Amino acid sequence: MLCQTINYNICSLRYARLSDLMPTCVLFPSGYGKSESVCAFSCAFLGKRWKDTAETVIIGGGCVGVSIAYHLAKAGQNDVVLLEKSELTAGSTWHAAGLTTYYHPGINLKKVHYHSIKLYESLEAETGQAVGFHQPGSIRIASTPVRVDELKYQMTRTHWHPTPQWLITPEKIQELFPLLNMDKVLAGLYNPGDGHIDPYSLTMALAAGARMYGAQIYNPALVSGLTPTRDGKWDVQTPHGTIRANRIVNATGFWAREVGQLIGFEHPTIPIHHQYVVTATVPEVKALKTELPVIRDLEGSYYLRQERDGLLFGPYEKEDKMVLQDSWVRDGVPPGFGKELFESDLDRIMEHVEMAMEMVPVLKNADIINVVSGPITYTPDLLPMVGPHQAARNYWTAIGFGYGVIHAGGIGKFLSDWIITGEPPFDLIECDPNRYGKWTTVPYMCAKARESYGFNNVVGHPKEERFAGRPTQRTSGVYELLKGKASMGFHAGWEQPHWFYKSGDEVGYKPNFRRTNWFGPVGRECKLVMEKVGVIDLTPFGKFIVKGKDSQKLLDRLFANTMPKLGLTNISHMLTPTGRVYAEVTITQHAPGEFLLITGSGSELHDLRWIEREAAEGPYDVDISNVTDDIGVLGVAGPKTRDVLQKLTQEDMSDSGFKFLHCKPITLAGIDLRAIRISYTGELGWELYIPQKDMATVYQAIMEAGQDMGIDNFGTYAMSSLRLEKGFRGWGAETADFIGKAALQEIKAKGLKRKLSYITMDTDNVDPEGNETVWLNGKVKSQEQSLETVDERRIC
């Protein structure tokens, strides 16, 4: 009996240390300093000739790293090399449960999952290597009304994507999974084609494909050093010799921090103990004629699937029960750890075991034959870090995968396309490695990893906030004044007001799939800005200063717009080589040859990396500095804004004295700052760029000066609502040879196939959040529809 054998029938796997099986380093005898001698030694040791140059070196032989090698080689890149310190799959891959699903609560990662599954379906035929792919489908179980709302919400966002997904009834669920106790089941989200795959076989098939297309895989090949060269390449040091690579990709799983430290990075990844249980044969399972679909009991916080004639289930414990391997962050991964496991701890997951037995009663009589407790890697927000890294030219990461098996195929294709074409094939900014910065400390990382692990099956509401580890060191000069008056949001480490409380409001974070406590107050703030004057903290904006002899030349190359003259501001776009928008940036020339660039908080280092790369490859004689943390920003908007500000400055704030999209240095309330005339919803407005230390002084002076005009605070929810209603877009004339110009001209000559449209909807208490499917006459409109019908198949 399962409940009787918890402490008796556990057989945790044990493997010999890899250091007992093979060397992880090589001691060269006297005379092996010459490259030909090293090559001869390596040939004998590795069984193949050592390459001393490569187009791309991938470090790490788990399923993600091998997938990148496979895709690059298949796409035709020559000289692809993968280095694995011990053996392929060592780390997290070999012990993974191997779940595969089309489902993802986000939009962009659905594409990654979709490509992975489609690749795995054909990989065996392509490579001749069996992959052990089972596709019985999967069902996400809703057993509370709010879970049903969650499934309905996800259904509104899926039909414009080719992912198969359906909301199904309890009757259909029982038909698909006849062993369920249906007492609490209200609905299910069904993804046909989901299932599970053998991670070891998958990795070996990808490796066979990589070799088939010309990639070299070396193991054991420990990377002991990484040295950048002046021309943007890398010297990759190993005991077998050094490889000169045009780029390197860190795909080393829970070794990612150690590899990053070789070049001065502290990647925010941390190993977590994840356990799953495997049972012996269950007679009721063996008697079934078809394989059971994978189930995910959202309230029970576990997954369960068929494993041969038994069952496998894995829980996600709550924050107070789960275990971080934080000693590895402090001391590094123990030498020789590769295909080893942690000691299992069933007491930690008993709450979930009991819920699983209630949902699937046959578990009560099942014997446990194995408990696997192994390390998986988490980032603070549960998403991987994928792409080129800022501040290290041609250094790429593919790390932080809590679900590497389902991500491996799609991420391999995504990075391969990006490396070969020079631009990402689609937007995946939520996984950009540059979303973290110096504010991502170890205590913050540990707190967020605990929270994120427990959040695996927490209800995924719109506008979700997670509060562990907050605030970070990134707080604006007015945070202490505002924190008790507002519901705060988290933006790239910053605390920023979403909306403000008034007497009688229901305060606090109250997530819901319907209109909740912020709806009325946000409407009040919109009215404030439209009729009176409001103040908003915009400090999280990313802010860069570009100056030097070639500053305008660089910006002309980067942006599809004419650079503003001295004292002027414009909105410009950086484009990819194929003419797609990479970033939108506000640019001001506030001194001769010196430009202030403003971008969104979430794209600070994402955009800075693109700028720095072009500056290095030019080359250009410029100085680029990130001043995001040094400068605070207040937005002041509304028809009475001028009257308020004029009380505090001698500068002429009239329309003729301070025109739209002009910038001036002014003294306000005795503080020197820069002001830019902008517009919120067509109303008068200024953005004030203030030294952080003076921000509270300026804010308090503005609030006092505006008391008789009804001044008050407003937050980002109101700003977003006003922005959408405004629908403002500006386009500039451009003559320079900017990146993407030729492609843009070609797109223009062929005529637009799509355009951004605004849709007004009648609703009572459920509002669109974005990315909902657009239907016309009972059909989902695809991106190929003509402009005469519907131009996009989702609400943007």
Side-chain angles (χ1 to χ4, degrees):
M1 306 284 282
L2 179 62
C3 51
Q4 296 174 330
T5 58
I6 290 295
N7 297 316
Y8 309 105
N9 289 358
I10 301 168
C11 300
S12 297
L13 293 177
R14 293 291 178 267
Y15 282 75
R17 285 183 177 270
L18 286 170
S19 55
D20 297 333
L21 303 177
M22 61 183 67
T24 56
C25 63
V26 178
L27 299 177
F28 294 103
S30 176
Y32 270 78
K34 295 183 179 180
S35 60
E36 62 270 19
S37 299
V38 171
C39 181
F41 185 89
S42 297
C43 287
F45 187 77
L46 296 169
K48 63 183 73 175
R49 182 172 180 79
W50 181 257
K51 293 177 66 66
D52 56 11
T53 62
E55 181 70 24
T56 301
V57 166
I58 300 146
I59 308 169
C63 59
V64 173
V66 178
S67 175
I68 298 168
Y70 161 84
H71 280 94
L72 282 171
K74 185 175 180 179
Q77 184 173 107
N78 297 318
D79 293 333
V80 177
V81 172
L82 185 145
L83 303 176
E84 162 54 43
K85 71 188 295 288
S86 56
E87 60 180 291
L88 298 185
T89 76
S92 295
T93 296
W94 74 275
H95 63 73
L99 299 182
T100 58
T101 178
Y102 284 115
Y103 176 86
H104 193 276
I107 293 301
N108 298 321
L109 276 165
K110 290 183 191 294
K111 301 173 186 176
V112 171
H113 288 207
Y114 182 83
H115 178 83
S116 291
I117 289 176
K118 293 305 176 186
L119 170 66
Y120 302 165
E121 288 175 343
S122 61
L123 192 59
E124 183 173 338
E126 179 184 0
T127 65
Q129 295 277 331
V131 296
F133 195 20
H134 297 246
Q135 294 184 273
S138 77
I139 307 170
R140 303 177 74 82
I141 303 293
S143 53
T144 65
V146 71
R147 288 292 188 184
V148 176
D149 279 350
E150 180 183 19
L151 301 191
K152 290 179 178 178
Y153 171 67
Q154 286 298 329
M155 284 304 300
T156 68
R157 298 152 59 88
T158 192
H159 286 294
W160 58 269
H161 191 276
T163 296
Q165 183 169 292
W166 308 104
L167 189 65
I168 59 175
T169 65
E171 292 75 19
K172 184 63 175 178
I173 294 171
Q174 178 125 62
E175 177 187 331
L176 293 168
F177 201 115
L179 304 182
L180 281 183
N181 172 6
M182 302 299 295
D183 289 350
K184 296 181 180 179
V185 176
L186 300 178
L189 199 67
Y190 177 52
N191 289 99
D194 283 9
H196 55 96
I197 194 168
D198 174 35
Y200 180 88
S201 299
L202 168 65
T203 306
M204 293 306 164
L206 289 167
R211 294 186 183 101
M212 182 171 68
Y213 294 117
Q216 293 291 328
I217 297 176
Y218 295 122
N219 67 289
L222 174 71
V223 172
S224 56
L226 296 169
T227 305
T229 65
R230 295 178 64 87
D231 59 353
K233 298 181 181 181
W234 289 90
D235 284 339
V236 183
Q237 288 100 36
T238 80
H240 311 291
T242 296
I243 303 178
R244 174 68 58 87
N246 289 351
R247 72 188 57 78
I248 55 176
V249 183
N250 181 349
T252 54
F254 53 71
W255 289 280
R257 284 181 64 86
E258 294 178 43
V259 172
Q261 286 166 352
L262 294 175
I263 55 175
F265 288 125
E266 295 287 343
H267 293 313
T269 61
I270 186 168
I272 289 174
H273 291 223
H274 178 65
Q275 299 185 99
Y276 63 82
V277 177
V278 183
T279 76
T281 295
V282 176
E284 294 88 344
V285 174
K286 186 174 183 179
L288 295 171
K289 295 182 179 179
T290 58
E291 183 176 352
L292 292 167
V294 179
I295 64 165
R296 291 173 174 84
D297 180 358
L298 302 178
E299 288 301 300
S301 191
Y302 65 84
Y303 57 83
L304 181 146
R305 69 168 176 84
Q306 186 171 334
E307 174 69 8
R308 296 186 174 87
D309 292 330
L311 295 170
L312 178 156
F313 66 98
Y316 295 96
E317 308 96 293
K318 296 177 182 177
E319 291 182 49
D320 60 332
K321 294 287 185 68
M322 60 85 68
V323 176
L324 299 176
Q325 193 63 30
D326 49 1
S327 65
W328 290 7
V329 174
R330 182 182 64 249
D331 305 324
V333 182
F337 192 101
K339 285 194 170 180
E340 294 182 319
L341 293 169
F342 300 130
E343 197 71 38
S344 60
D345 182 2
L346 278 177
D347 289 340
R348 210 170 72 226
I349 62 173
M350 274 308 301
E351 175 186 358
H352 306 278
V353 171
E354 291 167 359
M355 288 188 282
M357 289 191 295
E358 181 181 4
M359 182 65 75
V360 187
V362 297
L363 277 172
K364 296 176 181 179
N365 298 314
D367 288 335
I368 295 175
I369 61 170
N370 206 2
V371 180
V372 176
S373 178
I376 60 175
T377 307
Y378 266 39
T379 62
D381 63 7
L382 193 57
L383 297 176
M385 300 170 63
V386 178
H389 209 288
Q390 187 264 336
R393 191 175 168 195
N394 292 321
Y395 171 66
W396 297 61
T397 62
I399 58 177
F401 292 91
Y403 312 100
V405 171
I406 186 54
H407 286 152
I411 290 298
K413 180 68 162 59
F414 178 82
L415 282 181
S416 171
D417 288 350
W418 193 346
I419 288 170
I420 288 172
T421 67
E423 62 182 274
F426 55 87
D427 181 26
L428 199 59
I429 195 170
E430 62 266 46
C431 295
D432 190 276
N434 306 297
R435 67 188 185 274
Y436 299 117
K438 294 178 180 178
W439 52 269
T440 316
T441 62
V442 170
Y444 170 83
M445 175 181 66
C446 291
K448 298 304 286 187
R450 284 189 176 279
E451 179 187 55
S452 292
Y453 190 78
F455 261 82
N456 264 284
N457 290 308
V458 170
V459 176
H461 288 101
K463 296 181 172 62
E464 181 181 78
E465 287 291 325
R466 301 182 182 183
F467 296 97
R470 294 170 52 182
T472 72
Q473 65 193 46
R474 274 191 150 181
T475 55
S476 76
V478 295
Y479 171 71
E480 291 297 328
L481 297 174
L482 302 180
K483 67 179 182 180
K485 304 176 181 179
S487 178
M488 288 287 179
F490 188 75
H491 301 273
W494 296 95
E495 298 290 327
Q496 186 176 27
H498 277 165
W499 61 279
F500 285 84
Y501 312 138
K502 293 291 182 186
S503 178
D505 291 340
E506 182 184 9
V507 303
Y509 172 64
K510 309 287 184 182
N512 205 298
F513 292 101
R514 292 171 171 79
R515 290 178 182 171
T516 185
N517 59 331
W518 57 260
F519 186 81
V522 169
R524 180 177 65 214
E525 292 173 16
C526 290
K527 186 176 181 181
L528 167 75
V529 175
M530 294 171 69
E531 298 179 358
K532 297 178 182 179
V533 55
V535 180
I536 184 172
D537 181 7
L538 297 173
T539 299
F541 282 158
K543 316 169 198 78
F544 321 128
I545 291 178
V546 179
K547 61 183 180 180
K549 181 168 68 83
D550 293 334
S551 59
Q552 180 149 344
K553 180 181 176 183
L554 170 64
L555 298 180
D556 277 337
R557 175 63 179 160
L558 283 167
F559 290 95
N561 203 349
T562 301
M563 288 302 100
K565 296 179 180 179
L566 184 63
L568 298 182
T569 298
N570 69 21
I571 298 173
S572 299
H573 295 85
M574 290 191 288
L575 304 182
T576 68
T578 59
R580 297 158 63 208
V581 175
Y582 185 81
E584 181 179 271
V585 179
T586 300
I587 303 177
T588 301
Q589 187 173 182
H590 60 73
E594 184 170 322
F595 297 84
L596 174 66
L597 278 58
I598 307 297
T599 188
S601 59
S603 50
E604 174 195 343
L605 300 182
H606 168 272
D607 295 356
L608 183 59
R609 184 204 66 82
W610 190 270
I611 295 167
E612 289 176 339
R613 185 200 63 172
E614 179 62 28
E617 293 180 355
Y620 297 86
D621 183 1
V622 293
D623 177 74
I624 302 169
S625 54
N626 185 355
V627 295
T628 299
D629 291 350
D630 303 326
I631 300 175
V633 185
L634 291 175
V636 190
K640 298 182 180 180
T641 301
R642 179 187 293 111
D643 298 333
V644 173
L645 296 182
Q646 195 66 76
K647 289 183 178 183
L648 301 171
T649 182
Q650 298 299 312
E651 186 69 37
D652 182 2
M653 306 298 283
S654 68
D655 284 340
S656 59
F658 206 138
K659 296 180 180 180
F660 180 60
L661 291 181
H662 279 226
C663 172
K664 291 184 180 181
I666 68 172
T667 300
L668 195 79
I671 303 297
D672 294 333
L673 53 87
R674 293 190 180 276
I676 301 176
R677 172 85 180 271
I678 45 82
S679 173
Y680 294 93
T681 73
E683 299 295 340
L684 186 69
W686 273 269
E687 285 176 358
L688 309 177
Y689 291 81
I690 313 160
Q692 283 277 19
K693 63 182 179 63
D694 298 321
M695 195 175 175
T697 300
V698 173
Y699 169 81
Q700 290 172 318
I702 291 172
M703 297 303 285
E704 184 177 346
Q707 285 302 305
D708 59 343
M709 301 173 212
I711 196 169
D712 213 335
N713 298 293
F714 70 104
T716 57
Y717 284 1
M719 184 175 71
S720 294
S721 178
L722 294 167
R723 175 187 62 81
L724 285 171
E725 291 189 11
K726 178 182 177 182
F728 176 77
R729 280 168 282 172
W731 298 90
E734 173 58 44
T735 58
D737 186 20
F738 58 85
I739 295 171
K741 181 177 181 179
L744 203 61
Q745 289 172 332
E746 183 178 351
I747 292 169
K748 182 178 179 181
K750 290 181 178 179
L752 294 176
K753 294 182 179 180
R754 293 186 294 152
K755 68 178 182 181
L756 180 64
S757 300
Y758 287 84
I759 299 176
T760 301
M761 304 184 68
D762 293 325
T763 181
D764 48 10
N765 72 336
V766 179
D767 296 305
E769 290 289 335
N771 293 307
E772 285 89 351
T773 305
V774 174
W775 297 75
L776 183 65
N777 298 327
K779 295 182 179 180
V780 178
K781 305 314 296 179
S782 70
Q783 293 182 334
E784 287 71 37
Q785 294 297 132
S786 67
L787 292 175
E788 285 72 35
T789 55
V790 175
D791 308 302
E792 265 285 14
R793 57 180 175 178
R794 57 180 172 137
I795 297 174
C796 299

